[in-house]
Amino acid sequence: MLGLGSFWLPVDASSTTQYVDHLFNFIFLLCTLFFILIVFVTVLFAFKYRRKSASQRTSPISGNHKLELIWSVIPGVLLVIIFAWGFRDYMSLRVPPRDALEIRVTGVKWAWSFTYPVDGIVTTDLVVPEGRPVKLIMVSQDVLHSFFVPAFRIKQDVVPHRYSVVWFEATKTGNYNIFCTEYCGTGHSQMLSQVKVLSGSDYQDWIDRGGEEAGSAGRSSVDVGKHLYKKQACYTCHSIDGTSGVGPTFQGLYGSKEKLESGDEILVDDNFIRKSIIDPGADVTEGFPPVMPTYKGRLNDKQITALIDYLKSIGTDKVKN
Amino acid sequence: MNYLTAKKGFKSWLFTLDHKRIGLMYLVAVLSFFFLGGVFALLVRAELWTPAGDMFTADMYNKFFTLHGAIMVFLFIIPSVPASLGNFLIPLMIGAKDVAFPRLNLLSWYIYVLGALFFFYTLLFGSLDTGWTFYTPYSSQTGTSVISATLGAFILGFSSILTGVNFIVTIHKMRAPGLTWGRLPLLIWALYATAVIQVLATPVLAITLLLLVVERAFGIGFFDSTIGGDPVLFQHFFWFYSHPAVYIMILPGFGIISELITVHARKRIFGYNAIAASSVAIAVIGFLVWGHHMFVSGQSSFASMVFSFLTFAVAVPTAIKVFSWVATLYRGSIAFTAPMLYALAFIFLFSIGGLTGIFLGAIAVDVHLHDTYFVVAHFHYVMMGGTVIAFIGGIHHWWPKLFGRMYNEGWARLGCFLIFIGFNLTFFSQFVMGSRGMPRRYHSYVPEYAIWHQLSTIGSLVLGLGLVLTLVYLLHSLFWGKRAPHNPWGGESLEWQAATPPIEFNFTKQPVVTSGPYDFPEIEQDRS
Ligand SMILES: [Cu+2]
Ligand SMILES: [Cu+2]
């Protein structure tokens, strides 16, 4: 169906989908066949041998070794075929080609970030070139997550303190959903990103422009900050409307004085915000648990500046409620 | 004087040693939890009516699906058939006065209640948001009441172990004269295999949960990698129990279906030995397939290969059972009573559940389907379409024996029909959205899946309606139902020789068995 995916499977946009789809369809066919057979025979018997009189005689049959052998061996053989096929294709899904482009992935409650081998490029959406194998080396900063791209049929758990690897080769330009499929708490279903597949030359242009956040070309720094506030999941802990969440609200934060756990009072300025993002454990605000994850390596300088500009934009009105 | 009227008063129930009364107390308890778990399921389905997470907060939603799963698994489906019908029927079916250790039996029930109290505590104080699987390190870090919930599951495990031990000894030692292993009703075989798994697997769960409690309480690192543990290790431990537990849940259902089909089709079971042996084979191989829950967890490819192979190996005995049930219908005298309708529904639904398992056993395909709604649909087809349908069918089959009353057949058929339609609508749509990529445990979702979620939610309402209707006419029959004849379906196994309802110690004189459990008078004389 012209790139819309079949009824059962989503769009396919990667060379790795063949390892799943052919086998899926094969199993689907077999299962449908067996299911129809079982239901047909059941309905047939149920109708044909329905009780017509209370004294209806029934057959003394209590087994048939030949038949039992047949219906053990045939499914047995089919299952072995499916097993071998499934394992072979799994190995193809596991082993990335040598020349693959390597990108590092960090999963954290509740955002993904992608670090490129080119200096300073860190994004919240995965931008990749079409027609080139990409190898993702993934790790979690907190609990388990799982990296799933339905359009590529790839999935791999992302574990703290352990690297896991998954690869794909996108075959169609476009945007595809990334889901987290290992339950990870409050924001689990919000842990969404996209794979943006660009043509080879567009990708090179993007790299040359320093890999800015997708769609941020020509946007003000404040807007980029707003975008990151959402994409980097700051919003799951920090509100912008004055309500207190896991962390302090951003409303009226910039320029205010905050009391720290250490007892010191501090002015929230550019430097303090920067430090709070890179090394949140250093100056913990009074009355809040020290649970903010570090964003070191997941935000580059430009992005931190954008966040500071964004905080400034909602922080300068001194009216705190 | 039957077992219900032999003694009076509240205490005569709370201190009873009669396996039939204990079975009934279990029945009331597990069905209450089925109801509670069902309410949480409906709340989950209600939230998913729209893509946005607009009805409950994410934290509330996470608690609802966790409580739905934990209650259904630990408090309902694991004890369901064995503890209620099993307790009631095993001594009757083998011609014994009671189980081997009646006091232990009562103790199991109290331990179950104690475990349930821990769950109530959890529910009221802090709740639980880890999913029923308690995966670490999330469960070692979340602020909800993980400790009380895991202790609850730990305690429930003991109830399960003690019931298992009791059944094993009873079946070995207390069979009536002439009741050889080859003449045992297949329900007894199935409950026997179940009891063996309960005794062998449950301690592993107990240890795992205890380690989790110790980690949370004392900060000793077993599973949390920030303090030196290994989160994936937890998954190995957990599934080492929880996969065999799947067979604790389904084997008793298999046993019930074998009884329903034979009695209501007036036939000997097709391939008695194959069915009995396949129960045991499933119980044994079932211990060696746990890693099929972990194909994308990062376990080694070699391990995945072995687990995948063994998973397909369990599929064969399961297929044999289904084929044998269908073949049993051949040249029978099939009555479309409520129990038979449930048995037919079981064949339909369980086949879908079993066949979709093949997709998940094939490693490459599982990579795509793992942790999507496809898996959710698969195990609901097996657990609810299989076990619960068999359980309800069994309740209908033995209802006259339990209470001495008949329910209204017309209402029973309508209930069965509603449940069947509602169930398929609820869960078949989940297969479609799952294979299209919809992840499980999502509070909100991308709009392209909305239509499937809506069908599913509508289905869940129909299903709920069918279940409530069933409860209503069953309760109604207790007071206003026709008095049941002594053996309404013409069963040949021993429980039908006891009075209806049975007397306190089951039989007035020791029954002696001279023929198989399915030698019905309608069967033509074997000419060979
Ligand atoms: Cu998640
Ligand atoms: Cu399993």
Side-chain angles (χ1 to χ4, degrees):
Chain A
M1 277 223 301
L2 294 171
L4 293 172
S6 68
F7 178 72
W8 285 96
L9 292 164
V11 287
D12 79 284
S14 152
S15 65
T16 45
T17 58
Q18 58 172 326
Y19 300 121
V20 173
D21 293 12
H22 296 330
L23 183 54
F24 183 96
N25 290 332
F26 177 71
I27 301 175
F28 189 83
L29 204 79
L30 271 185
C31 285
T32 312
L33 226 82
F34 269 93
F35 181 67
I36 290 175
L37 188 78
I38 292 169
V39 172
F40 175 76
V41 175
T42 306
V43 171
L44 181 77
F45 286 174
F47 178 74
K48 198 157 168 210
Y49 306 115
R50 67 190 183 278
R51 190 172 302 168
K52 293 168 198 123
S53 72
S55 59
Q56 183 169 323
R57 309 264 90 191
T58 66
S59 151
I61 297 175
S62 64
N64 178 329
H65 286 301
K66 218 192 223 155
L67 194 60
E68 287 173 54
L69 200 67
I70 291 175
W71 73 37
S72 313
V73 171
I74 292 181
V77 171
L78 289 172
L79 290 173
V80 168
I81 294 174
I82 293 172
F83 154 73
W85 187 343
F87 179 62
R88 193 199 62 181
D89 283 6
Y90 170 69
M91 289 317 286
S92 313
L93 280 172
R94 282 282 281 202
V95 184
R98 285 252 178 77
D99 58 339
L101 169 70
E102 284 188 11
I103 299 174
R104 293 197 170 262
V105 181
T106 310
V108 63
K109 288 179 188 167
W110 292 282
W112 298 105
S113 66
F114 304 95
T115 311
Y116 286 73
V118 186
D119 263 0
I121 300 188
V122 185
T123 59
T124 52
D125 284 320
L126 176 60
V127 181
V128 295
E130 183 190 0
R132 172 145 178 226
V134 175
K135 173 179 169 186
L136 302 177
I137 303 167
M138 310 187 290
V139 72
S140 162
Q141 261 187 28
D142 40 46
V143 298
L144 298 179
H145 302 280
S146 193
F147 183 89
F148 178 36
V149 183
F152 298 168
R153 320 281 192 269
I154 53 166
K155 182 180 294 126
Q156 181 65 44
D157 282 6
V158 180
V159 183
H161 297 109
R162 182 186 291 182
Y163 295 105
S164 49
V165 168
V166 74
W167 80 276
F168 62 89
E169 181 185 326
T171 51
K172 286 190 195 99
T173 57
N175 296 340
Y176 307 101
N177 289 324
I178 299 171
F179 294 131
C180 173
T181 44
E182 189 65 80
Y183 172 70
C184 55
T186 313
H188 172 53
S189 57
Q190 296 293 320
M191 199 166 155
L192 305 171
S193 279
Q194 293 209 308
V195 189
K196 298 189 187 292
V197 181
L198 305 179
S199 70
S201 55
D202 285 355
Y203 176 75
Q204 199 50 50
D205 285 353
W206 178 79
I207 290 282
D208 294 344
R209 286 201 308 275
E212 85 261 316
E213 269 298 308
S216 70
R219 282 203 292 171
S220 70
S221 182
V222 171
D223 279 349
V224 174
K226 189 172 175 182
H227 172 78
L228 288 168
Y229 167 74
K230 178 94 200 50
K231 277 297 224 187
Q232 286 286 11
C234 313
Y235 76 96
T236 52
C237 299
H238 298 281
S239 79
I240 47 171
D241 61 1
T243 50
S244 188
V246 177
T249 181
F250 283 164
Q251 192 189 63
L253 180 67
Y254 189 87
S256 69
K257 287 230 160 66
E258 290 283 329
K259 234 181 137 97
L260 299 182
E261 282 290 343
S262 56
D264 302 342
E265 233 190 26
I266 200 160
L267 176 73
V268 179
D269 58 4
D270 292 28
N271 275 324
F272 178 72
I273 293 177
R274 189 187 168 78
K275 197 166 168 205
S276 294
I277 293 172
I278 300 290
D279 188 9
D283 296 315
V284 176
T285 316
E286 190 181 60
F288 289 97
V291 294
M292 175 159 160
T294 172
Y295 282 82
K296 198 171 161 186
R298 290 195 289 134
L299 289 170
N300 60 23
D301 282 350
K302 232 159 106 186
Q303 291 165 329
I304 293 176
T305 311
L307 274 166
I308 294 173
D309 288 342
Y310 175 57
L311 288 196
K312 228 182 255 181
S313 76
I314 54 172
T316 36
D317 52 358
K318 285 277 173 217
V319 274
K320 261 199 177 178
N321 26 353
Chain B
M1 257 327 194
N2 63 50
Y3 79 104
L4 294 166
T5 53
K7 296 201 178 83
K8 291 219 160 28
F10 208 52
K11 276 198 190 151
S12 75
W13 283 88
L14 288 183
F15 296 109
T16 184
L17 298 180
D18 185 340
H19 67 99
K20 300 183 288 301
R21 286 187 164 210
I22 295 173
L24 279 197
M25 296 196 315
Y26 265 118
L27 188 66
V28 171
V30 296
L31 289 181
S32 309
F33 283 112
F34 182 51
F35 185 81
L36 185 63
V39 169
F40 284 117
L42 287 177
L43 292 174
V44 165
R45 286 301 340 150
E47 168 65 73
L48 295 172
W49 178 254
T50 58
D54 44 12
M55 192 173 288
F56 308 112
T57 64
D59 287 329
M60 277 164 84
Y61 175 84
N62 292 344
K63 286 171 182 168
F64 290 163
F65 80 69
T66 299
L67 291 168
H68 163 67
I71 289 173
M72 286 301 196
V73 170
F74 295 111
L75 286 161
F76 169 62
I77 204 163
I78 289 180
S80 64
V81 177
S84 63
L85 290 180
N87 239 321
F88 190 95
L89 291 169
I90 288 177
L92 282 165
M93 288 179 111
I94 65 172
K97 278 188 189 158
D98 206 309
V99 292
F101 309 114
R103 281 197 177 74
L104 195 65
N105 202 16
L106 184 62
L107 180 65
S108 303
W109 189 78
Y110 277 105
I111 295 178
Y112 172 85
V113 171
L114 182 67
L117 289 177
F118 271 78
F119 269 91
F120 275 121
Y121 173 88
T122 309
L123 205 73
L124 297 176
F125 301 96
S127 199
L128 185 68
D129 75 337
T130 58
W132 77 276
T133 46
F134 297 111
Y135 269 20
T136 56
Y138 186 79
S139 59
S140 4
Q141 295 168 7
T142 171
T144 54
S145 304
V146 176
I147 292 187
S148 61
T150 42
L151 282 178
F154 177 80
I155 292 167
L156 290 171
F158 278 94
S159 162
S160 188
I161 294 171
L162 294 181
T163 304
V165 170
N166 215 338
F167 286 0
I168 292 174
V169 178
T170 307
I171 295 169
H172 267 279
K173 288 292 172 196
M174 303 185 61
R175 302 192 310 278
L179 187 55
T180 56
W181 287 93
R183 284 178 182 163
L184 276 185
L186 284 163
L187 176 60
I188 302 293
W189 267 106
L191 289 170
Y192 180 76
T194 309
V196 172
I197 310 178
Q198 278 177 315
V199 171
L200 294 181
T202 316
V204 179
L205 177 73
I207 293 165
T208 311
L209 295 179
L210 209 58
L211 289 177
L212 183 56
V213 171
V214 170
E215 175 166 285
R216 275 186 74 99
F218 306 112
I220 299 174
F222 296 110
F223 308 123
D224 188 342
S225 54
T226 50
I227 47 177
D230 178 355
V232 181
L233 180 66
F234 178 85
Q235 296 176 31
H236 281 288
F237 283 177
F238 182 81
W239 289 113
F240 186 84
Y241 165 77
S242 293
H243 189 84
V246 170
Y247 298 114
I248 297 179
M249 303 176 205
I250 191 66
L251 281 174
F254 290 167
I256 290 179
I257 295 305
S258 297
E259 302 299 320
L260 302 193
I261 289 189
T262 47
V263 173
H264 296 268
R266 321 303 299 153
K267 276 279 304 281
R268 288 191 194 117
I269 192 86
F270 189 96
Y272 178 97
N273 292 337
I275 291 192
S278 62
S279 285
V280 179
I282 288 172
V284 173
I285 312 174
F287 271 100
L288 303 172
V289 302
W290 77 89
H292 65 205
H293 297 268
M294 301 171 59
F295 289 150
V296 300
S297 71
Q299 80 184 357
S300 81
S301 306
F302 179 75
S304 291
M305 180 190 79
V306 175
F307 285 126
S308 168
F309 183 80
L310 291 170
T311 301
F312 285 118
V314 206
V316 177
T318 313
I320 292 175
K321 280 182 190 280
V322 174
F323 295 141
S324 301
W325 289 320
V326 175
T328 303
L329 297 172
Y330 174 67
R331 287 177 59 199
S333 164
I334 297 162
F336 296 105
T337 53
M340 187 53 141
L341 292 180
Y342 277 103
L344 296 173
F346 175 97
I347 292 181
F348 185 96
L349 301 175
F350 181 76
S351 295
I352 295 180
L355 289 167
T356 49
I358 298 175
F359 290 80
L360 301 170
I363 319 180
V365 180
D366 182 67
V367 167
H368 176 62
L369 297 175
H370 181 75
D371 270 344
T372 66
Y373 263 86
F374 192 93
V375 178
V376 177
H378 160 71
F379 69 70
H380 279 90
Y381 263 88
V382 177
M383 304 282 74
M384 178 143 195
T387 308
V388 177
I389 291 293
F391 188 29
I392 302 176
I395 290 176
H396 283 79
H397 181 72
W398 284 290
W399 190 260
K401 188 54 65 181
L402 287 165
F403 299 109
R405 300 281 184 164
M406 297 302 282
Y407 45 83
N408 180 304
E409 266 291 332
W411 286 110
R413 285 179 197 178
L414 179 65
C416 182
F417 177 75
L418 285 178
I419 290 173
F420 183 77
I421 297 294
F423 178 87
N424 280 301
L425 194 56
T426 311
F427 294 108
F428 202 80
S429 26
Q430 297 187 1
F431 278 126
V432 186
M433 64 171 127
S435 69
R436 297 186 65 89
M438 171 73 210
R440 65 194 286 202
R441 297 176 169 173
Y442 263 33
H443 169 236
S444 57
Y445 53 89
V446 295
E448 64 173 281
Y449 301 113
I451 175 73
W452 305 110
H453 274 298
Q454 283 171 359
L455 287 175
S456 183
T457 300
I458 295 171
S460 69
L461 289 176
V462 178
L463 178 57
L465 191 70
L467 289 168
V468 169
L469 174 72
T470 304
L471 181 70
V472 169
Y473 71 72
L474 284 179
L475 289 179
H476 176 271
S477 80
L478 284 184
F479 304 100
W480 298 284
K482 273 205 318 257
R483 296 229 170 250
H486 158 71
N487 185 357
W489 324 116
E492 288 292 314
S493 41
L494 288 177
E495 80 273 27
W496 299 107
Q497 290 184 22
T500 291
I503 57 169
E504 214 182 343
F505 291 102
N506 298 347
F507 301 97
T508 38
K509 61 175 197 296
Q510 175 66 58
V512 176
V513 181
T514 52
S515 58
Y518 311 118
D519 290 335
F520 301 108
E522 289 91 336
I523 297 175
E524 284 168 356
Q525 285 305 312
D526 221 334
R527 277 176 300 261
S528 57

